[in-house]
Amino acid sequence: MPSFDRAPPLLLPVRFFMAAAGWLPLLFVSLLWAVDAYPALSLLLPLHLLALGVLGNVMLGALLQIMAVVSGVACLRPAWQRGVWLLWQLATASLCWGFYRGLAPFWLQLASALFALLALLLLPLLRALWRSPASDGSSRALRAAVTLLLLTVMLGIAMLGVLGWGQPWPLLRLLPWHRLAAQGWLLLLTMAVTQTMAPMFLMTPSYPLLWQRYGGYGWLLLLLAAALGMAWQPQGMWSLLAWLPALLFVLLTLSLLWQSRRPQEWLLPYWRLAFVLLGLTLLLYPLWWLAPGAVWLPRVLGWGLLGGFALTLVVGMLYRIVPFLLWLHLKNAAPPRHRVPSMHAFVPEAAARLSGRWLWLLQLTALLWLWRPTLGWPLLLAGVGLWCLLLWHFGAAAWRYRALCRALPLQQDKT
């Protein structure tokens, strides 16, 4: 069970969440120019704004929060925390600006140096996770996820060595490895979160014991086997080794969601929409080999995984996690027997449901953009609308939290 008395300072995850909100409007503006086929620069820019700026920040904040309360791995020193946050923002900005400037060497070189420093800072985190005695399914998935995060960063640095430094390395072989590791980092972190959060917040049954015990490490081994197979036979269908556990994960999760003992829970539609979109994306994935001439397929697969599944799940979890963190830290700061308002005092249920309905509009406009890439302005308007809703709702939650902190009679220093 999670031990929330070991939760890190409130500012640690919130700092990453706020940074993600800053990258979100840039993402939707960049989609107006994303009219070419993958891997054109016009698509690489929004791809990395979404994967690093928006999702990457939320995922890092969630990682640092959940590893403390689930795996018992306390966050490292405050200087380390600020360093990871700052390096992530600077490296993302340098990389995206380099893409915007047409692979400008200076910015790609700077990005590679910043990501190398970031990888060095993440190594102690990986070491602490692997040394943790926690043996639950979420901890296993966290270890595998952080391993894949570091592999993703190192493969990205190698690719920047080709694009920015002119190294004679096989770029076309590094690219599918980088993509495979990034997908694994996203999905295995999601696996770690869902094994804890689904039974706790959605009142679902637990995942099967075999999945909890062997799912994380087994998935990691299949990803590594797929990478080795791609090195041996680049044109083979080795990445299906990573596709099979992902499809099983979707089927298991959707089955558990439909067994929820709280069917009126507002978070359920977020999760159902996210995992249905992921399932549809996975069903389209074999077309990568069956229809190699389908130029629309990489765009659809990329949006389905990141903009469909991950963005939907992240927005839903923010509406649950942020009020919970504010309530938890306020409760810990309050004196004994002091009455603390419920989580609904920070973000009302109606606000979360409103953003859930807006996400459906966002996905419909995304379908229009996928069908006709030149029609990006409806998706831009829907994305800016979602951004405004998030600022409104979480800004009000922050104001309410500060007002309640000022009203505490004692122990305010604990916040």
Side-chain angles (χ1 to χ4, degrees), residues 77-90:
R77 295 178 179 179
W80 179 90
Q81 301 168 15
R82 291 191 293 270
V84 168
W85 181 87
L86 183 60
L87 281 174
W88 190 270
Q89 313 315 316
L90 292 177

Side-chain angles (χ1 to χ4, degrees), residues 104-129:
F106 171 78
W107 295 104
L108 298 185
Q109 292 168 7
L110 178 60
S112 66
L114 293 171
F115 276 119
L117 291 175
L118 180 66
L120 290 176
L121 284 184
L122 291 175
L123 278 174
L125 181 66
L126 179 62
R127 179 173 178 267
L129 274 170

Side-chain angles (χ1 to χ4, degrees), residues 16-35:
F16 285 95
F17 298 162
M18 292 173 65
W23 289 104
L24 190 61
L26 296 177
L27 160 67
F28 289 110
V29 171
S30 70
L31 291 175
L32 292 177
W33 290 276
V35 297

Side-chain angles (χ1 to χ4, degrees), residues 133-336:
S135 58
D136 58 287
S138 290
S139 296
R140 292 188 179 96
L142 280 176
R143 295 182 186 110
V146 177
T147 300
L148 289 166
L149 169 60
L150 274 169
L151 286 174
T152 303
V153 172
M154 288 188 289
L155 288 167
I157 293 171
M159 294 174 65
L160 290 175
V162 178
L163 299 173
W165 298 92
Q167 295 295 323
W169 297 332
L171 182 63
L172 294 181
R173 183 163 294 186
L174 292 171
L175 176 59
W177 288 344
H178 176 70
R179 187 170 56 232
L180 191 67
Q183 293 167 0
W185 145 243
L186 167 64
L187 293 175
L188 279 161
L189 181 64
T190 303
M191 176 182 171
V193 171
T194 55
Q195 288 187 99
T196 299
M197 300 305 173
M200 184 170 67
F201 287 135
L202 300 176
M203 300 297 290
T204 67
S206 297
Y207 281 83
L209 186 59
L210 283 176
W211 178 259
Q212 295 187 51
R213 183 169 296 172
Y214 302 112
Y217 293 165
W219 200 338
L220 176 62
L221 290 175
L222 285 173
L223 282 162
L224 296 177
L228 291 174
M230 292 160 66
W232 172 56
Q233 193 178 14
Q235 303 303 322
M237 301 174 65
W238 293 101
S239 58
L240 287 180
L241 291 175
W243 174 81
L244 290 172
L247 188 60
L248 177 59
F249 177 48
V250 169
L251 295 175
L252 282 175
T253 305
L254 286 174
S255 173
L256 295 178
L257 291 178
W258 287 108
Q259 299 177 58
S260 170
R261 299 189 299 277
R262 191 187 293 165
Q264 74 280 9
E265 168 62 44
W266 60 262
L267 188 56
L268 273 174
Y270 280 95
W271 281 52
R272 286 172 179 160
L273 174 61
F275 279 93
V276 166
L277 290 173
L278 178 58
L280 293 175
T281 302
L282 292 173
L283 291 177
L284 287 173
Y285 187 67
L287 292 178
W288 193 278
W289 295 274
L290 299 177
V295 295
W296 51 269
L297 186 59
R299 181 188 298 265
V300 171
L301 294 177
W303 178 265
L305 178 66
L306 300 178
F309 164 70
L311 186 62
T312 300
L313 194 66
V314 157
V315 171
M317 289 306 297
L318 284 176
Y319 273 99
R320 174 64 75 190
I321 293 297
V322 171
F324 177 76
L325 292 178
L326 296 178
W327 173 84
L328 177 66
H329 285 81
L330 186 67
K331 180 176 177 295
N332 291 337

